[in-house]
């Protein structure tokens, strides 16, 4: 006979930081598109589409929104990292010696090569540990490169360390694209995992089948 158990998955602090970050990242990407659209060095989409999306001739709006949103993004990120550090939850996210083999197992399972369910190490599987750690590093990189191009004179040492203004601008663009890729894959995986996983990030708990122990996210 199958039995189920309700277990805690995500703390309130993690959930709040997660949901605050969602609109911040979305709006920052949008305002960033308005800024980069004014630079001819970057890839352009067809003008009719750009017109429909209203991304032409909004450089000042993009800069204003971007500079406004960067501060809550930084504060939210710092709160999240400090919470992980002081609560001890960092051990559920940072990769360990078993992470890479477990991540490979996740890939084989997702590609239908293996039917073995991914191992949950603490609260996350190996692929999630790697992905979430990289997301934190990408976020930090976006802030550092963003500050370097926001204050290239006041922070000239940082700008030069990154290779100069144009190099820092390109690095900021690449890091943002990688973060956006993580963002899209993350949403796709949440949809694939189903309601139980989504509920865990909203309410903080999930329902676990005691027989299968299948509570991946």
């Amino acid at each position: 006979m199958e039995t189920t158990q309700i277990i805690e998955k995500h703390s309130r602090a993690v959930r709040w930081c997660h949901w605050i970050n969602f609109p911040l990242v979305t709006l920052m990407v949008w305002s960033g598109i308005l800024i980069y659209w004014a630079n001819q060095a970057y890839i352009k989409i067809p003008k009719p589409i750009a017109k429909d999306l209203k991304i032409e001739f909004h450089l000042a709006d993009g800069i204003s929104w971007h500079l406004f949103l960067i501060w809550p993004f930084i504060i939210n990120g710092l709160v999240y990292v400090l919470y992980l550090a002081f609560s001890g939850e960092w051990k559920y996210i940072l990769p360990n010696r078993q992470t890479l083999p477990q991540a490979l197992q996740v890939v084989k399972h997702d590609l239908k090569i293996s039917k073995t369910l991914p191992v949950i190490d603490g609260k996350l599987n190996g692929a999630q540990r790697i992905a979430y750690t990289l997301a934190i590093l990408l976020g930090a990189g976006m802030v550092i490169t963003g500050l370097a191009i926001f204050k290239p004179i006041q922070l000239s040492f940082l700008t030069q360390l990154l290779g100069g203004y144009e190099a820092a601008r390109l690095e900021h663009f690449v890091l943002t694209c990688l973060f956006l890729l993580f963002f899209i894959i993350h949403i796709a995986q949440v949809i694939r995992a189903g309601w139980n996983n989504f509920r865990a990030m909203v309410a903080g708990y999930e329902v676990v089948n005691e027989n299968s122990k299948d509570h991946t996210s």
Side-chain angles (χ1 to χ4, degrees), residues 79-110:
V79 169
Y80 178 67
V81 171
L82 289 174
Y83 172 78
L84 292 179
F86 287 103
S87 69
E89 287 208 28
W90 58 268
K91 62 180 177 291
Y92 297 126
I93 290 183
L94 287 183
N96 54 39
R97 293 181 179 180
Q98 291 77 38
T99 297
L100 186 56
Q102 291 172 359
L104 292 175
Q105 183 184 23
V106 173
V107 173
K108 289 191 292 185
H109 179 267
D110 287 351

Side-chain angles (χ1 to χ4, degrees), residues 45-66:
I45 62 175
K47 281 189 174 294
I49 299 178
K51 185 177 180 180
D52 291 339
L53 294 176
K54 303 184 186 302
I55 62 176
E56 290 189 302
F57 314 116
H58 288 282
L59 175 61
D61 293 336
I63 293 175
S64 297
W65 275 107
H66 215 64

